[in-house]
Amino acid sequence: MKVAFTAPMKPLDHPVPSGDRTMGRLIVRALELAGHKVEVASTFRSWRAEGGEDVTREVKKLALTHAQEISEQWIERGDVPDVFLTYHLYHKAPDWIGPYLCAKFNIPYVVVEASRAPKRQSGNWALGFNAADAALAQADQVVALTNSDAQCLSQVLSKDVLTVLPPFLEEARFEISQSVTKGSADGTIRLLCAGMMRAGDKQFSYMVLAAALKQIADLPWRLTIAGDGPARAEIEPLFDRKRTEFIGLIPWQEMPRLYRSHEIFVWPAIREAFGFVFLEAQSCGLPVVGGRVFGVPDIVEEGTSGLLSDEGDASALAQNLMSLIKNPHKRENMAAAAVENIRKNHSLEAGARGLDKVLHAALERHQFKRKAHGGR
Ligand SMILES: CC(=O)N[C@H]1[C@@H](OP(=O)(O)OP(=O)(O)OC[C@H]2O[C@@H](n3ccc(=O)[nH]c3=O)[C@H](O)[C@@H]2O)O[C@H](CO)[C@@H](O)[C@@H]1O
Ligand SMILES: O=P([O-])([O-])O[C@@H]1[C@@H](O)[C@H](O)[C@@H](O)[C@H](O)[C@@H]1O
């Protein structure tokens, strides 16, 4: 099929790395692997940090003007895609372009990764929330990447429209390797964490991590922190500089090498949707220590490929780190299980199969709806 694609939260060519940029790119790769032809129909970004009626109305106006331009291009070239797919839809990043074009050209509409927080129904995000809901109502298929998202979405979507598809990655890029957990010559365990230094949830994760590490100061660890951002000046002083290395923003292509040169990946995951870094770390053969938050338990096999603790509980995070730092066998077993988890449950091939099914289901449902409305 010819698939028109857009990612209103963040276009795929955005310069700052993020989990949604990574996931968006992988969705395109998976669709191509399944034999579909993907065209980025729009790089329009509807995401705004702050809501409010005026802001949302303005974004909607810009989005619809842009949608009309795309429509004219499609008419002029005489070629209309078979399906429109929007990646990552929620109140801060609603989609007006997909729904407009799908209605105008009578093509199926698919949404991958939608989240829905009913508490945003009123207040500053109300217009964005309603626009996201309207898009969901029009969608022929919606994919949730986590069970937690699916649960919220099931309040407004029927079973035949909603699919849970575990997030996936391209193992070839991350070069699955079993040969980690060797430790450094002096027995120091190398911990890695990777998170952009944004104020809010990311900064809270850094605060919890720093508090946990203070509780295990007597153990032989060193920490590497990858990531950068506006909150760096507040984050750096939280950590013991003598045993922490801030390596700044690492280009995404270099992340595999970084994961593979460490023994344990740690991230408290405050309010993470699922944390793409947990997938990447596991695929590189690292056991992970993290927070039991939203979709994280979907992608980390708790007790098998990693250890999870309650959100924000620094002492429990410290205990989990301690048990892995002290126990090389446990690290080794979990490292092997991590690789296996990704191979079995989160491969690009599995993503390609899942998305292919979803596209066909969308087409079928759309045709059924057309017939039901007397069309052909
Ligand atoms: C707070 C929150 O809800 N975050 C979500 C957000 O991603 P968010 O960008 O916040 O976080 P993620 O951990 O998912 O992804 C970070 C990405 O940035 C890359 N990186 C990081 C540091 C660096 O120096 N260089 C670099 O390339 C990592 O390799 C990874 O690919 O959307 C993702 C997809 O829905 C979810 O998994 C996250 O849970
Ligand atoms: O926009 P924001 O408030 O920082 O947080 C967002 C969550 O509200 C949303 O549910 C999730 O899907 C996004 O990836 C992002 O994490």
Side-chain angles (χ1 to χ4, degrees), residues 51-72:
E53 252 183 56
D54 292 349
V55 174
T56 312
R57 280 192 207 291
E58 185 55 28
V59 182
K60 179 179 178 181
K61 209 169 109 195
L62 291 172
L64 287 176
T65 306
H66 185 48
Q68 275 162 16
E69 286 163 9
I70 300 170
S71 146
E72 279 156 26

Side-chain angles (χ1 to χ4, degrees), residues 88 90 92 115:
H88 212 149
Y90 73 117
K92 285 188 189 172
S115 42

Side-chain angles (χ1 to χ4, degrees), residues 9-10 16-23 87-88 113 145 174 194-196 198 201-202 226-228 247-253 255 258-259 267 270-278 280 294 296 299:
M9 183 176 179
K10 205 181 216 191
V16 180
S18 64
D20 41 280
R21 191 188 75 172
T22 305
M23 194 68 238
Y87 169 63
H88 212 149
E113 192 168 3
L145 297 180
F174 274 80
M196 295 307 283
R198 302 197 290 262
D201 298 334
K202 294 282 175 195
D228 206 339
I247 56 173
L249 181 69
I250 301 299
W252 187 73
Q253 294 78 348
M255 289 298 289
L258 186 65
Y259 286 113
W267 183 244
I270 303 295
R271 312 260 336 143
E272 291 291 346
F274 57 89
F276 208 88
V277 284
F278 291 121
E280 295 172 347
F294 297 125
V296 180
I299 60 167

Side-chain angles (χ1 to χ4, degrees), residues 144-166:
L145 297 180
T146 68
N147 286 307
S148 148
D149 274 347
Q151 213 173 3
C152 296
L153 291 167
S154 66
Q155 289 166 12
V156 289
L157 295 174
S158 63
K159 269 198 186 130
D160 56 331
V161 174
L162 181 61
T163 303
V164 182
L165 177 67

Side-chain angles (χ1 to χ4, degrees), residues 332-351:
E332 248 163 60
N333 290 339
M334 285 199 164
V339 171
E340 203 41 38
N341 176 29
I342 300 302
R343 203 195 304 273
K344 263 197 348 238
N345 305 312
H346 304 282
S347 68
L348 186 71
E349 288 72 20

